[in-house]
Amino acid sequence: MNPLLERISIDPRVCFGKPCIRGTRIWVSLILDFLASGSTVAEVLEDYPYLTEEDIRAAIAFGAGISH
């Protein structure tokens, strides 16, 4: 298992069970949508300064994992 995925939490009591960055209510899908629309990692981190580059990579890894 990819250790980055430990940064992702899925809790039915938080954000309707959507995958989020652990300790936040930031949906993985939100991060992926920003990146897909052309935002850079730096821009996402500027908008969400409490996230880390590893959190962004975890969101990408999670998205890649569910696409199999």
Side-chain angles (χ1 to χ4, degrees), residues 27-49:
W27 300 344
V28 168
S29 62
L30 178 68
I31 294 170
L32 296 176
D33 285 343
F34 283 140
L35 296 173
S37 68
S39 294
T40 66
V41 171
E43 289 169 335
V44 175
L45 293 175
E46 186 176 314
D47 291 341
Y48 298 92

Side-chain angles (χ1 to χ4, degrees), residues 5-10 20-26 55:
L5 296 179
E6 293 176 9
R7 294 177 170 274
I8 307 298
S9 65
I10 301 172
C20 294
I21 300 300
R22 185 170 302 283
T24 75
R25 293 179 176 265
I26 302 298
D55 293 331

